[in-house]
Amino acid sequence: MSANKTYWRSLNDLHETAEFEQIASREFPQAASEFPEGVSRRKWLKLMSSSLALGGFAGCRYGPDQIAAFVVRPPNDVAGVPKHYATNFELADRAVHLLISNMDGRPIKVEGNAQHPIMRASEPNELGEAGDRSRFASGGTDVYSQACVLGLYDDDRAQRVAKRVDGVLTESTWDDFAAYAKTQFEAFKANGGESLAILMSPSLSPAVNRWVAETVKTLPKVSVAQYSSVDKSAQVKACAQAAGKPAELVYKLDAAQVICAFDSDLLGDDCNAVLYSRQFSKGRVPEPSKMNRLYSVESKFSVTGAAADSRLPVRPSQIGAVIRELEAKVDDLLKGGQPVPPVDGEKPFDQIDSAEKVARFLSAMAEDLVKHKGACVVAVGAYQPLDVQLAGLRLNQKLENFGKSVMLMPSRSAVEGVEPIELTELVAKLDSGAVKSLWILGGNPVYTAPGDVALGDTLKKVEDSVYLAEFEDETASVCSWSLPLAHQLESWGDVLAVDGTYGISQPQILPLLGGRSRIEILSMLHGGEAGQAVSEKLIREVADAVAGKPLTSRQWRELLHSGFLMGLKFEPLAGPFNVEGSAPVGSIDLDSIEQGSIELMVTVGDTLYDGRFAKNVWLQELPQTMTKICWDNAAVVSPKTADMLSLKQGEQARLVHGGATVDLPVFIMPGQANGTVAVQMGYGRICRDEAVSSNAEVVIGKDVSPLRSFSAMHLIRDVEVKPLPRPYKLATTQDHFAIDELGLETTKIRAKNLVREGTLEQIEEGGSEFVDHLGTHHPALESLWKEPIETLESDKTVTYQWGMTVDLNKCTGCNACVVACQAENNVPVVGKEQVTRGRELHWLRVDRYFRGDVDTPKIVNQPVACVHCETAPCEQVCPVAATVHTEEGINAMAYNRCIGTRYCANNCPYKVRRFNYFNYQTEYGYFYGWQQKGEIEKASRKLQQLVLNPEVTVRGRGVMEKCTYCIQRIQNGKIQSRIEGRVIEDGEVQTACQAACPSQAIVFGNLNDPNSRVSKIQKSERAYEMLAELNIKARTFYLARVRNTHARLKTSDQLEPAHHGHDAHSDTHEESGEAHVDHS
Amino acid sequence: MMPIPTPTKNLARLMSTIASHKVIDNTIDTPGRRSPLVTGNQTYGSLTHMVSRISEEAQPLAWWITFLLAVPTLGMFGGLIVYLFLTGVGVWGNMSPVFWAWPIVNFVFWVGIGHAGTLISAILFLFRQNWRTGINRAAEAMTIFAVVCAGTFPGIHVGRAWLAFWLTPYPSLNLWMWPQFRSPLLWDVFAVGTYASVSLVFWYMGMIPDLATFRDRSTNKFRRMVYGILSLGWSGSSRHWMRYEKAYSLLAALATPLVLSVHTVVSFDFAVSQLPGWHTTIFPPYFVAGAIFSGFGMVVTLLVPVRALYKLKDVITLRHLDNMNKIILATGSLVGLAYATEFFMAWYSQNPYEVFTFWNRAFGPYWWAYWIMVSCNVISPQLFWFKFFRTNTIAMWIVSIFVNIGMWFERFVITVTSLSRDFLPSSWGYFTPTWVDIGMLVGSFGLFFTLFSLFCRYLPIVAMAEVKGVMSQHAHAEHRHAHSHGHAHSHGHVGGH
């Protein structure tokens, strides 16, 4: 426990005291005596929670009045048939609009709500040419939404109302707290709320904001502090200045031909990334005049950078200078200047020095922006300072984008009549004693607060502090009351969509662990009641207020059904806006790397956000989008920076800034701006280690808060980075960059063939000849015998032949599909140690390859799951026929028959087969986990198992598994269509990955139907079969990626002539029927 | 049978002592005269005594050391298997993409070693290579034990070992299905199973006359009873000998193709897959050559100390060792040729995956394994071009150890390096063994040496009856006529006369 000392200091101290042991042993005498002395905190928690966890099972029910056996089946409830409920809530600072699959009273899967107005408004244009478009509609989600169902069943969640007694958190009750709240409220009323402060993060929930406003009305002297771990204050300020009132910036990427992102990860960590990905993918149709162009100027290689047509790595402090230069160039062009025309014989972009790269990049961007005036977007990342934000807005105004592709919308988080104070101000008030009571509405501020704000120390001195959160975390350990927050799937709530549409959140299940929502707590603050019925009433009141009239019960049911109130939207604010500001200063120098003035960029975690998902093991094990690291955060540096600072992959680096020191493992990533270090926040928290060796807790990654300061939360300058020659093993799901020359060279050559990529011009010139050209030279593909299975060529006696396509032009590599697959198919988590052994079980992975030069590389992503080969190599070598072909062309696994020879996995060229080396899904560990089979462990496991999809077999140890094309969904579709006496319609069955994909890159369907979308796409010019030369006839096809790169920014590989080497071979090709050849 | 009269016993002992002083270089071939296969003026009686006394007298210290090291190692092996069953195959280091690693390497390694015995007893028998008689018993025993070691691994390697019997085609009413006959793994089950059973029968059958000798020499009831049961009532009658020889020839004829087939089928495990580095037509002959190579390597490793320890130099002569070393040289060079051919084919095919796989073997992250393999398997046996190395027991023992190491690495290189980098670079990986991997490799040697020590202790190490058939004409002029027919079991040398 020593490593956890600071985090759980109080609890540590606590469980060593005699009283605590006494309490525990009195309550659970038998179980308590099972544990030896010196047990971990976790075991104690489990000890105490066992009755709650078991009690929680009673929560998996339809309603209090239906607890009796279903002698008479409740109407519309068919056991085993999932029901879908629309809901909306705030998750990781964003509004999510979801459909929840509720299986026998427990939510198990999340999909995007395709009917939501913002989803409808961004539907891809080529959907469903014939018939009902809604068949193909899918909302798409992000990783956080996909993973939120796991959080619901987390037995680590706070399971008790806890009160500090003599410095120790002791179990209490809601009634106790209600009484406390009532007395407190009386006291507040007496002093007008002067002694009270509320700390919250900006909320998108009208109900929460309404209650806060109500509080201010009742207690006019109350202090409301807003603090967000992700600092967007510069952008908020810039928008407020521009609009003259609180506003937020929303882009309409489908209305933009040119998108310039400046340190802005629009498609990645942006709160509207799902919407933006949908809009962006609409513009990725590789046809001239239709296809958009994305520029990315950024320091950290982001999802947006990988999706960009051209990318320039620039350190964060120089982004401003780039925008300033760009503005100058745009001004010049707007005044009638002429763009620099491409010169014949000009060197390709990757062969020029960095100064020229910048110059060309700027002139190309300026040219494109001006050419597409009114149809372009200049997006500046939220971390950039105010002057850069204003410069971005100014450019948009000059380019007449406002109201067309860029919009300022009324702020959703602004609270009427409330002037929130900053966190530092709050701390000062607490320290001075002006505020005596603090109510914290979630957010774990003690952990997320920057290094120079000693919130934890201050809170310890505060006598009355109430903390509502999902976990008994760092903040809980210093507060006097710790209240369990209900999961959003357990509580009533509401949220405003980015377009202002009001959506409500309805509970899918009664609170498993007795938690309550923010609204209930705010109501209790006013001495009010709490409970499901109360919060429903409260939400309905807000809905009435938003609708402007009381909703009839029919309208209320409609709202519950669709999840949103139709027709109520924000109008974009009208310009012109006040975007004046000083021009950003500084110069551009891409190569300077100077010790002591290294820039650190702290971004939100790809998977953990600000650490709030640290206990979600799906997200912990989800590979970070670009580095493919899981279970850790690392100091990401460019190869040049690493050289200069003598940093080595596999070792650590010591980051020193302002007296704080953080040691992080080094990860060398080409494309990271020189002289910068990128690191993800949200780590350094305790998480369950799913490793085989133990079920103990470990600290995952490093907390970088000490390096952050209130004034520089994300972009920290003048950091010293020293090599720390201490080995550190990072768990990555793809090989580190630091591999041998031979491997690197081969990867480069192969990646071209595996992930085929061309330019828009190549498509224009020769169709998609480049797609075939990039393939491998191979003889005619002939089978020596008739395949004993159903293939597409064989007689079409079977109605369905399933197939899939993945459009690499649309895929951004956001990972949503990976988590969706995990959730749908009961894919277990294996833990860091097992990932380092290459034993992760994700059925779907996103492969990442680098392309081009080391300084300005490009990244290509490729989602890979089982491609369901018609002549599957795995099937031929299984000695017990455990993997076989269905007549519908699915390569199926019979888990019961599998004995685990693993031969199939060896013979799979795509390496998509996954093996259960241990009993990952249940207890595992030494000797089959016998040492963990205590009653409490079993109870916890049972709680966690509630998330499992009952339609998918849970695999035990020693069994091979892999993607099944979501065969359970196909089966459901077949049953439904059979009942209705028809065939499955195109688009009716969607795989989990397809449904989760925000950019709709994945299409699944019946290849036997020539009119199905998948058939048409597979016949497209861009379609190719990965490793076609093996003649295994994959059913999943990829669509080649097309980059719409500006002529002057083309790299040497993009300029290679498409016809290279073809003519010489053309005769032989025709004779032998060979596939296309390329020697490159 | 009559107990041996004491004077005869003493005489035999005396003669064997005299013989050890007389150095006869039987590694030289003189035209017109066959070099003796048994040296030291041995008589039938002295030979019988020389071999039988091993199991009758107290064991030398070296035996006790070997045995007492081997048994705990075997115990550890057993313990690790229990641990494996109770925990999961994840205790090994194998992973994605290297789904097969040390257990399979060990399997192929031991199966390969299991080749020499049957080759010596069956093929050399059919080719009338009389020198085989001195070494065939020990080599066959080695074969059986190696196959036992080999058989252990695939059985415990599968993820659900308790269901490994599904690999056998048994009629099951519940399941209503057969195994999948297209899978090489299934062929493997049959091939190794057949080989193990035929080798065992062959070994045991060949041992019956010698077991009868042991029985006859037994001085206590218990021994007599046990050997009596084991010798199946052998009396040494002409009828017995006639049937014995017929059966022996038939079994030899049956075992001969098996020698070739078993490793061919084992190689199919790899060759039938489509993995670059595995999918090659050269594998069957290459694997068989390698197996013979490693088998002879192990025979030399075992017999050099055994002949010194049990003073069997007159039966397992330098000529025997010289011949084996020549075979090691030949097969080692064949294996080297196979390595070169693989590279040539990779280049000649211009299959980019194939080309990369072989470059990666030699110069990729596992280069060290490749070069250990080449140095041990191809370079070290070249010393056997020189007679000094072929006839110097210490030198050949060292080389044979190298051969064993090299052949283990050959299987490692084939299995692990090919798997670690196949088609998609995104899925490449680097395999590192766990302590269980290492423990099980060591443990399998524990199993092997436990069995081999017990064999030395309780069973005739040398096929006495067969050796007598090829004993020097010089010493047994009266047998010249029979000997010219190649072998002479019909003398009925039973007992210690």
Side-chain angles (χ1 to χ4, degrees), chain A residues 711-722:
Chain A
S711 53
M713 295 267 277
H714 296 283
L715 307 181
I716 301 147
R717 295 171 81 161
D718 301 330
V719 177
E720 203 177 337
V721 183
K722 293 184 229 165

Side-chain angles (χ1 to χ4, degrees), chain B residues 255-331:
Chain B
T256 299
L258 288 180
V259 174
L260 301 176
S261 76
V262 66
H263 227 52
T264 301
V265 172
V266 168
S267 82
F268 285 167
D269 286 348
F270 301 96
V272 169
S273 84
Q274 54 144 12
L275 191 81
W278 284 14
H279 181 64
T280 51
T281 46
I282 199 182
F283 264 20
Y286 161 28
F287 265 53
V288 171
I292 295 167
F293 178 57
S294 69
F296 273 95
M298 192 53 116
V299 175
V300 170
T301 309
L302 292 175
L303 288 191
V304 164
V306 162
R307 81 193 264 274
L309 196 62
Y310 293 120
K311 305 195 174 60
L312 293 171
K313 288 175 186 169
D314 288 337
V315 190
I316 305 170
T317 64
L318 274 183
R319 184 180 179 81
H320 289 90
L321 299 175
D322 185 40
N323 281 349
M324 285 198 284
N325 291 337
K326 284 175 184 165
I327 294 183
I328 288 176
L329 172 60
T331 47

Side-chain angles (χ1 to χ4, degrees), chain A residues 692 733-735 739-740 742-744 746-747 750 753-754 776 788 834 837-839 845 847-849 864 873 875-881 895-903 905-911 913-919 925-929 957-960 1026-1027 1029-1030 1032, chain B residues 82-100 157-164 166-167 175 177-186 268-270 272-275 278 352-353 356-357 359-360 363-365 419 421-429 432-434:
Chain A
V692 184
T733 56
Q734 214 178 316
D735 230 329
I739 57 171
D740 57 304
L742 178 69
L744 204 59
T746 310
T747 306
R750 289 214 188 148
N753 175 6
L754 300 172
T776 318
Q834 292 289 292
R837 286 212 168 274
R839 291 175 182 168
R845 59 171 199 262
D847 285 352
R848 175 267 289 129
Y849 298 107
V864 182
E875 289 169 15
Q876 291 152 26
V877 297
C878 175
V880 291
Y895 302 122
N896 283 351
R897 179 66 177 169
C898 178
I899 60 169
T901 67
R902 313 196 273 296
Y903 198 176
N906 283 342
N907 211 24
C908 172
Y910 305 95
K911 288 288 171 283
R913 291 186 152 258
R914 300 293 189 216
F915 187 67
N916 288 276
Y917 280 94
F918 294 108
N919 233 6
Y926 293 116
F927 298 118
Y928 213 171
R957 116 193 200 209
V959 169
M960 193 60 75
M1026 184 165 49
L1027 298 181
E1029 59 271 29
L1030 299 178
I1032 46 185
Chain B
V82 171
Y83 172 59
L84 172 86
F85 282 178
L86 292 178
T87 309
V89 284
V91 299
W92 285 321
N94 60 47
M95 51 176 273
S96 176
V98 187
F99 285 94
W100 287 356
H157 182 256
V158 296
R160 302 203 288 171
W162 52 96
L163 298 176
W166 285 359
L167 285 163
L175 212 52
M177 73 186 287
W178 296 109
Q180 216 253 102
F181 290 100
R182 286 191 297 170
S183 169
L185 281 190
L186 196 68
F268 285 167
D269 286 348
F270 301 96
V272 169
S273 84
Q274 54 144 12
L275 191 81
W278 284 14
Y353 302 112
F356 170 71
T357 296
W359 274 106
N360 185 48
F363 306 110
L419 280 171
R421 288 183 164 185
D422 67 340
F423 295 97
L424 301 195
S426 65
S427 299
W428 289 354
T432 28
T434 61

